[in-house]
Amino acid sequence: MIATNAYAAFTNTTPLAPFSFNRRAVKEDDVHIEILFCGVCHSDLHQARNEWGGSQYPMVPGHEIVGKVVSIGSAVSKFKVGQTVGVGVMVDSCRVCRNCNRDLEQYCAEGMTGTYNAQERDGSGITQGGYSTQIVVNERYVLSIADSLDLKAVAPLLCAGITTYSPLRYAGVTKGMKVAVMGLGGLGHMAVKFAVSFGAEVTVLSTSAHKQKDAEALGAKFALSTDKETMEKLKSGFDVIVDAISANHDYSAYLDLLDTNGKLLVVGLPMETPKVSPFSLITNRRSIIGSCIGGIKETQEMLDYCAAHNIVSDIELINMQDINAAYERMLKGDVKYRFVIDLASIK
Ligand code: NAP
Ligand code: ZN
Ligand code: ZN
């Protein structure tokens, strides 16, 4: 057993607080990782506060993990002790279904095993995430990370990065396409970076006027989505829109901005069931496509792409003790553009 320091949510209404527990002993195909950095995703807040229902406590959130390999099981072939590695949103899946066999483990027929707030497949308990000093993960779900990049800024790639890279690739975003990104947050700013890097003409659709400068610095145009006139002018103007909004919103208003065959790629996960007008859909033959993170193979491809193109997240490094204040700031949109926890703060 491996003694681990962490921060956990103990109920949906109380602040996260210190928590100690044991990680499992390293099995033959496991990698034991000392966690250096963990990004703070809005999904952590949704689940810590039980906004999606079914939360299990105590819950150690965190699924944007970067660390060093401390030890490996006897059958591990992909990783060596001392190597820099990452762990994202899933730590297991059935490994035999159609989707697991075609590198789409995130759509496992039995449901993927989340890095936290999920049941271990062997019935040994609840998975616990990266707001912690150690983690033990089967090697199939561990990613290689190039040491050339700033590791603390790499951590958010493990969720915010792959969650936006995957649908942009699926939609075939390429040079000259007109792409809009709804919500300039952790996911949104990565969507902008990838779409710009793929050669698209990118516009940020934001509710926050003060983000205009940042959008432009990322290589995008800026439009205030709360301004009716602006939205009217943008009608039928985009080939692809990425919806990375964390709160309830009107989907139809954004659908109307899609050109012929346009695609609304939904990654944001607010609770409310959206109302969508079929008239908005049949106009211009528009479609709505949902997307969940990405498979392990595509996550590695994304990390390698980022290393080759020098793409990382814009981050603010915090100590573990600052997590509750960070959640409040995230809700106010006061983060540029991802909090990352330095786990040295609870070693
Ligand atoms: P975040 O950093 O908090 O960013 C969310 C952004 O949404 C904000 O910056 C804000 O952008 C916009 N927003 C907030 N409240 C709004 C409102 N009332 N109306 C319109 N826009 C609003 O969150 P994140 O970590 O990027 O996560 C975004 C969403 O993606 C979350 O729901 C998360 O759970 C989900 N997610 C999904 C997946 C997946 O696999 N599909 C993976 C990870 C996360 P502006 O200020 O620019 O308007
Ligand atoms: Zn996430
Ligand atoms: Zn499966």
Side-chain angles (χ1 to χ4, degrees), residues 40-44 46 52 63-64 89 159-160 163 182-189 204-208 210-211 222 225 243-249 254 266-270 290-294 330-333 335 337-338:
V40 178
C41 180
H42 207 112
S43 302
D44 300 347
H46 285 312
W52 296 339
H63 56 210
E64 295 184 333
V89 176
C159 175
T163 302
M182 295 159 56
L184 193 63
L187 266 59
H189 95 291
V204 168
L205 305 172
S206 171
T207 59
S208 310
H210 64 90
K211 293 184 182 172
F222 181 88
S225 54
D243 178 349
I245 294 178
S246 56
N248 297 331
H249 58 282
Y254 294 95
V266 173
V267 292
L269 290 169
S291 190
C292 177
I293 49 168
M330 183 158 65
L331 281 174
K332 286 189 217 139
V335 46
Y337 273 89
R338 199 62 145 183

Side-chain angles (χ1 to χ4, degrees), residues 25 33-34 89 93 123 145 163 168 170 186-187 212 232 247 283 324 343 346:
I33 303 160
E34 181 174 71
V89 176
S93 62
I145 287 179
T163 302
L168 288 169
Y170 180 74
L187 266 59
Q212 176 157 4
E232 194 60 38
T283 303
N324 295 303
L343 272 310
I346 53 162

Side-chain angles (χ1 to χ4, degrees), residues 292-343:
C292 177
I293 49 168
I296 295 297
K297 185 176 175 212
E298 193 176 37
T299 305
Q300 190 62 61
E301 174 193 306
M302 178 273 313
L303 287 165
D304 296 345
Y305 181 87
C306 288
H309 295 83
N310 205 19
I311 294 174
V312 289
S313 174
D314 295 353
I315 65 142
E316 184 178 330
L317 194 66
I318 60 168
N319 288 333
M320 189 70 259
Q321 295 80 357
D322 302 328
I323 188 64
N324 295 303
Y327 276 6
E328 294 312 312
R329 283 185 52 198
M330 183 158 65
L331 281 174
K332 286 189 217 139
D334 176 23
V335 46
K336 288 187 169 184
Y337 273 89
R338 199 62 145 183
F339 290 115
V340 172
I341 302 160
D342 182 354
L343 272 310

Side-chain angles (χ1 to χ4, degrees), residues 41-345:
C41 180
H42 207 112
S43 302
D44 300 347
L45 189 155
H46 285 312
Q47 290 175 89
R49 299 188 177 181
N50 197 24
E51 289 174 358
W52 296 339
S55 286
Q56 308 173 70
Y57 302 97
M59 179 198 302
V60 178
H63 56 210
E64 295 184 333
I65 297 167
V66 168
K68 295 271 182 198
V69 177
V70 177
S71 69
I72 53 173
S74 56
V76 168
S77 58
K78 275 167 64 187
F79 302 99
K80 293 196 177 81
V81 171
Q83 194 177 336
T84 305
V85 293
V87 177
V89 176
M90 65 184 147
V91 289
D92 208 351
S93 62
C94 84
R95 308 180 202 178
V96 293
C97 75
R98 202 160 48 105
N99 282 336
C100 283
N101 274 325
R102 55 180 181 184
D103 299 309
L104 294 171
E105 302 92 339
Q106 75 275 35
Y107 305 123
C108 174
E110 291 185 2
M112 66 167 178
T113 303
T115 301
Y116 65 87
N117 194 27
Q119 289 294 331
E120 292 280 10
R121 303 188 93 80
D122 62 3
S124 59
I126 303 171
T127 57
Q128 300 289 13
Y131 296 6
S132 64
T133 51
Q134 322 280 329
I135 193 165
V136 177
V137 180
N138 181 284
E139 72 167 332
R140 177 175 173 155
Y141 303 88
V142 177
L143 290 308
S144 301
I145 287 179
D147 284 305
S148 56
L149 296 174
D150 179 5
L151 296 183
K152 53 187 182 300
V154 166
L157 301 179
L158 276 306
C159 175
I162 184 58
T163 302
T164 50
Y165 180 92
S166 182
L168 288 169
R169 285 297 198 205
Y170 180 74
V173 168
T174 182
K175 200 170 166 54
M177 278 174 83
K178 291 192 168 61
V179 173
V181 175
M182 295 159 56
L184 193 63
L187 266 59
H189 95 291
M190 288 310 308
V192 172
K193 288 189 185 208
F194 286 129
V196 167
S197 155
F198 300 161
E201 269 179 51
V202 184
T203 302
V204 168
L205 305 172
S206 171
T207 59
S208 310
H210 64 90
K211 293 184 182 172
Q212 176 157 4
K213 260 195 184 157
D214 292 343
E216 287 167 0
L218 290 168
K221 293 182 201 158
F222 181 88
L224 194 61
S225 54
T226 48
D227 185 73
K228 276 202 175 138
E229 244 175 65
T230 305
M231 291 291 269
E232 194 60 38
K233 275 190 206 144
L234 292 175
K235 276 196 171 160
S236 302
F238 299 104
D239 301 305
V240 166
I241 303 179
V242 179
D243 178 349
I245 294 178
S246 56
N248 297 331
H249 58 282
D250 174 10
Y251 290 72
S252 285
Y254 294 95
L255 263 179
D256 291 342
L257 308 188
L258 285 170
D259 197 357
T260 313
N261 301 324
K263 298 176 177 68
L264 179 66
L265 307 174
V266 173
V267 292
L269 290 169
M271 259 320 279
E272 198 174 77
T273 306
K275 281 198 197 89
V276 171
S277 158
F279 290 95
S280 289
L281 284 171
I282 67 161
T283 303
N284 283 349
R285 194 163 57 193
R286 297 166 174 140
S287 54
I288 304 179
I289 299 172
S291 190
C292 177
I293 49 168
I296 295 297
K297 185 176 175 212
E298 193 176 37
T299 305
Q300 190 62 61
E301 174 193 306
M302 178 273 313
L303 287 165
D304 296 345
Y305 181 87
C306 288
H309 295 83
N310 205 19
I311 294 174
V312 289
S313 174
D314 295 353
I315 65 142
E316 184 178 330
L317 194 66
I318 60 168
N319 288 333
M320 189 70 259
Q321 295 80 357
D322 302 328
I323 188 64
N324 295 303
Y327 276 6
E328 294 312 312
R329 283 185 52 198
M330 183 158 65
L331 281 174
K332 286 189 217 139
D334 176 23
V335 46
K336 288 187 169 184
Y337 273 89
R338 199 62 145 183
F339 290 115
V340 172
I341 302 160
D342 182 354
L343 272 310
S345 57

